[in-house]
Amino acid sequence: VLKKYFLVGIGLIGITFASADNYGHSAFYTLLHKLDVAAPDGAIDISRFVDALPILPTIKAGNRSQITMVESEVSTQFYKNLPPTKVWGFNGISPGPIIEVQSGHPLEVLWKNSLPTTHLFPVDDASMEGMNNPARLPPGFTTLPEVRTATHLHGAAVTETDLSNRLRNNDGWPDNWVVPGETQISEYPNPQSSRMLWYHDHAMGTTARNVNAGLVGLYIIRDAYEASLNLPSGKYEVPIVFQTRDFDNDGNLLYPAKVTNEVYGSAVTVNGKVWPYLNVEPRKYRFRMVNATDARSLQLKLVNTLDSSAGPLLYQIGSDSGFLENTAVLNDPATPNSPQLNLNPAERADLIVDFSKSAGSTLMLYNSNVGDVGDSELILRNIIAFKVGTTVNSADHSALPMHMKTIRPLVRTATTPQRQIVLSELDTPNEAPLMMLNGKVWDDPVTDVVKLGSTEVWELVDTLPDGHPFHVHEVQFQVLDRQPFDVAQYQTNQQIVYTGPPVPLDPAEKGWKDVTFLQSGYVTHIITKFGPYPGMFVFHCHILEHEDMGMMRPFQVVP
Ligand SMILES: [Cu+2]
């Protein structure tokens, strides 16, 4: 059952310093290393925030029933001092354009692969057993193509994917990839209420490489309820995509040549820029954020760059799958232990920030998450600067709701079926650990079959020394609890013995979710009702490198 993954060269790539170069951008690397790594803890530096935050363009589907999104290699500039760099994007930009639809209005997207046949990054499929298994190749292929894409709309509810037809791929089924010159057709019924989804590549064994290259974008569903809330809109609603990247001496994107457990990056890119700033007016704004990094959890707050004081407040009104019931108040300067915004890989946050009392100041979106000790994770603190002006261009009549629609809890009863999923690794004498879910990897046969319309509790058990964001396709779920257990005991006899009471959930975890963070040494229970459509879907770790390495399983929803 166990597949052998040869994880050669776990050591992270580093940036080698050029003492001099033709671009005059060596200062960039000095900044990367000195300011974000060697700077005193808590240091805030705004001098490097010299590029305006790109505002992502929006494709409004309107009455159209079909749009085309073209994947291609394009040029971009990540930072003022860097030369243009090749990335992969959609319709000429990375992140791609925002697709905006109305709830209930179906949209068919033609995802056209116009990429080169050679990858932007080194490809190491040969090191991963199963990747070049002839039995797994689709008809017409004798070897695994270096460039292959399968676009998944994260958070979508889609009808069944035809697993025998690579070109029809509603859910971004990882094995239904297309190659340059081919087009993937996906139908999105959009039955959900307003929320922000995101599209990204999901092709088996190359998701991390493809997403890091830039194949990512946002997808916003609107509805009448959202409109009735009178939230900040138009230019006062700013969608934001966080990614982590590495760069080589020439400013090119860099990704490890050999399979690597987690790629944390040495810089955060925000809508495709390193260290951007956004000029804002002293009024309310709505920010829609997604953590699209490979592996990095963020803990975010706003601080004043003059005196490092906290504030203004972050009002979180929504998370992955729409609005919260009650607005979560984060980053409260009056409360020293005020919750911050936890944004783990693949999670979204819908925020309102009122800059009206910050006129004339500069605020930093600051990351307090220091990462996993021992994982070579560079500490990246300063993410984006907000330069608050002194005048408002148009009067602020928008609202800041503190209560939204009631969220009806799914109830766990004595008879609710419970399915256990254990994250584990297996040390082997000659190889890096195998990463598994219930002792299985992606290409093991389907073992999880659930009934359409049924409700289940999933017991997610993290026996590993680090945390993992866990994502389930097709459904939305509620987090029930998160409780520490005795890992050593479990490894001896597979019994879960709790070592303490459940820990409090984040305020934002009280809403509907499609990804939740599994903490090392904790059991997390989620509850979900399967639907709205039957078919074969996917659950997986959302550390992109882990899902490529097999930490991903199919599940089937049967009528
Ligand atoms: Cu993982």
Side-chain angles (χ1 to χ4, degrees):
V1 173
L2 301 178
K3 304 297 184 287
K4 294 183 179 63
Y5 287 79
F6 297 93
L7 309 177
V8 183
I10 291 297
L12 269 177
I13 41 76
I15 292 168
T16 50
F17 290 90
S19 53
D21 60 49
N22 297 328
Y23 304 109
H25 63 260
S26 56
F28 177 74
Y29 299 101
T30 308
L31 286 168
L32 270 184
H33 285 265
K34 287 196 173 166
L35 294 180
D36 259 334
V37 180
D41 194 85
I44 293 167
D45 187 305
I46 60 161
S47 62
R48 48 194 151 139
F49 289 79
V50 293
D51 288 297
L53 177 78
I55 300 301
L56 303 171
T58 300
I59 298 172
K60 291 191 179 185
N63 289 323
R64 279 183 288 176
S65 57
Q66 187 190 75
I67 62 169
T68 299
M69 300 286 282
V70 182
E71 298 170 332
S72 66
E73 190 165 282
V74 295
S75 180
T76 192
Q77 196 171 10
F78 278 102
Y79 193 68
K80 190 182 175 187
N81 295 347
L82 288 175
T85 306
K86 281 190 288 186
V87 296
W88 287 3
F90 294 90
N91 292 6
I93 54 170
S94 175
I98 300 166
I99 301 172
E100 185 178 308
V101 299
Q102 292 295 321
S103 172
H105 187 98
L107 182 66
E108 185 174 78
V109 178
L110 308 183
W111 303 100
K112 182 170 169 44
N113 183 332
S114 293
L115 294 164
T117 53
T118 304
H119 208 286
L120 194 62
F121 299 133
V123 171
D124 189 29
D125 287 334
S127 293
M128 297 171 78
E129 189 183 295
M131 284 296 127
N132 273 308
N133 180 352
R136 282 173 47 86
L137 292 170
F141 288 86
T142 52
T143 56
L144 189 65
E146 181 171 320
V147 174
R148 52 192 191 274
T149 58
T151 305
H152 167 57
L153 180 56
H154 182 124
V158 294
T159 54
E160 185 154 17
T161 290
D162 179 355
L163 300 192
S164 67
N165 183 352
R166 289 185 303 111
L167 305 185
R168 309 281 316 189
N169 192 357
N170 292 340
D171 193 38
W173 182 256
D175 287 335
N176 274 24
W177 37 256
V178 295
V179 297
E182 292 182 330
T183 297
Q184 168 191 332
I185 303 170
S186 303
E187 291 171 20
Y188 303 119
N190 303 316
Q192 301 117 311
S193 58
S194 71
R195 65 193 63 188
M196 189 175 84
L197 317 181
W198 60 299
Y199 57 87
H200 65 83
D201 192 74
H202 214 297
M204 190 57 217
T206 196
T207 292
R209 223 180 278 135
N210 288 354
V211 171
N212 206 284
L215 294 181
V216 60
L218 300 174
Y219 187 106
I220 291 178
I221 301 177
R222 307 276 189 197
D223 67 9
Y225 175 72
E226 178 194 17
S228 77
L229 290 176
N230 186 31
L231 302 170
S233 61
K235 68 175 178 175
Y236 303 112
E237 179 186 4
V238 183
I240 290 177
V241 178
F242 299 114
Q243 292 185 268
T244 40
R245 278 14 203 284
D246 279 304
F247 298 92
D248 70 10
N249 279 331
D250 296 323
N252 299 309
L253 282 181
L254 186 66
Y255 191 84
K258 289 294 180 185
V259 175
T260 302
N261 251 349
E262 296 96 14
V263 176
Y264 291 113
S266 56
V268 178
T269 59
V270 190
N271 291 356
K273 288 284 184 194
V274 182
W275 299 321
Y277 69 86
L278 179 67
N279 287 325
V280 295
E281 300 169 22
R283 52 156 289 158
K284 289 192 287 299
Y285 278 73
R286 182 183 185 189
F287 295 102
R288 321 275 309 255
M289 298 177 176
V290 62
N291 181 337
T293 69
D294 295 44
R296 190 182 278 269
S297 291
L298 301 170
Q299 187 178 24
L300 301 170
K301 61 179 177 178
L302 276 173
V303 291
N304 193 307
T305 56
L306 270 188
D307 57 6
S308 299
S309 61
L313 299 171
L314 301 174
Y315 296 95
Q316 186 171 2
I317 58 171
S319 63
D320 301 342
S321 310
F323 292 112
L324 301 173
E325 182 171 322
N326 296 304
T327 298
V329 181
L330 311 174
N331 197 42
D332 186 348
T335 313
N337 295 321
S338 174
Q340 297 180 16
L341 172 61
N342 284 312
L343 206 59
N344 298 292
E347 285 185 319
R348 281 88 78 206
D350 194 346
L351 300 167
I352 296 193
V353 179
D354 187 352
F355 294 111
S356 63
K357 294 189 175 64
S358 305
S361 59
T362 299
L363 307 162
M364 183 65 70
L365 188 68
Y366 185 89
N367 172 35
S368 305
N369 192 311
V370 297
D372 282 325
V373 177
D375 272 359
S376 312
E377 188 172 343
L378 303 182
I379 298 171
L380 302 176
R381 295 198 183 279
N382 300 299
I383 309 290
I384 173 172
F386 297 97
K387 299 181 179 177
V388 188
T390 51
T391 55
V392 172
N393 287 333
S394 55
D396 186 2
H397 300 299
S398 66
L400 167 57
M402 294 309 289
H403 305 283
M404 280 73 68
K405 269 197 274 193
T406 302
I407 293 179
R408 208 157 50 88
L410 293 177
V411 179
R412 169 165 47 177
T413 68
T415 58
T416 308
Q418 179 164 293
R419 189 177 299 268
Q420 190 184 60
I421 294 161
V422 181
L423 283 66
S424 67
E425 63 183 41
L426 186 67
D427 285 326
T428 60
N430 304 314
E431 299 149 27
L434 304 175
M435 305 291 295
M436 297 172 296
L437 296 170
N438 283 345
K440 296 182 172 64
V441 292
W442 169 248
D443 52 345
D444 287 311
V446 61
T447 47
D448 295 296
V449 179
V450 300
K451 268 201 168 148
L452 182 66
S454 69
T455 298
E456 287 192 8
V457 170
W458 281 18
E459 180 173 82
L460 309 168
V461 185
D462 189 353
T463 68
L464 298 172
D466 48 11
H468 301 254
F470 184 87
H471 172 45
V472 188
H473 285 207
E474 188 72 3
V475 300
Q476 51 187 3
F477 56 75
Q478 293 172 356
V479 181
L480 292 172
D481 55 52
R482 184 177 287 122
Q483 191 168 2
F485 73 106
D486 186 334
V487 176
Q489 170 92 41
Y490 179 85
Q491 282 163 343
T492 307
N493 62 2
Q494 283 72 56
Q495 297 297 311
I496 289 174
V497 177
Y498 290 109
T499 55
V503 292
L505 300 176
D506 263 7
E509 294 189 287
K510 292 175 179 148
W512 288 103
K513 301 275 296 165
D514 59 36
V515 58
T516 190
F517 194 69
L518 308 186
Q519 259 180 270
S520 169
Y522 283 73
V523 172
T524 306
H525 290 102
I526 61 173
I527 187 167
T528 188
K529 186 176 174 182
F530 291 95
Y533 307 110
M536 197 76 93
F537 302 104
V538 183
F539 62 88
H540 60 91
C541 174
H542 219 290
I543 291 179
L544 303 181
E545 286 76 24
H546 290 188
E547 60 180 284
D548 278 344
M549 290 154 54
M551 203 176 218
M552 176 160 75
R553 293 286 297 146
F555 74 99
Q556 189 173 15
V557 181
V558 295

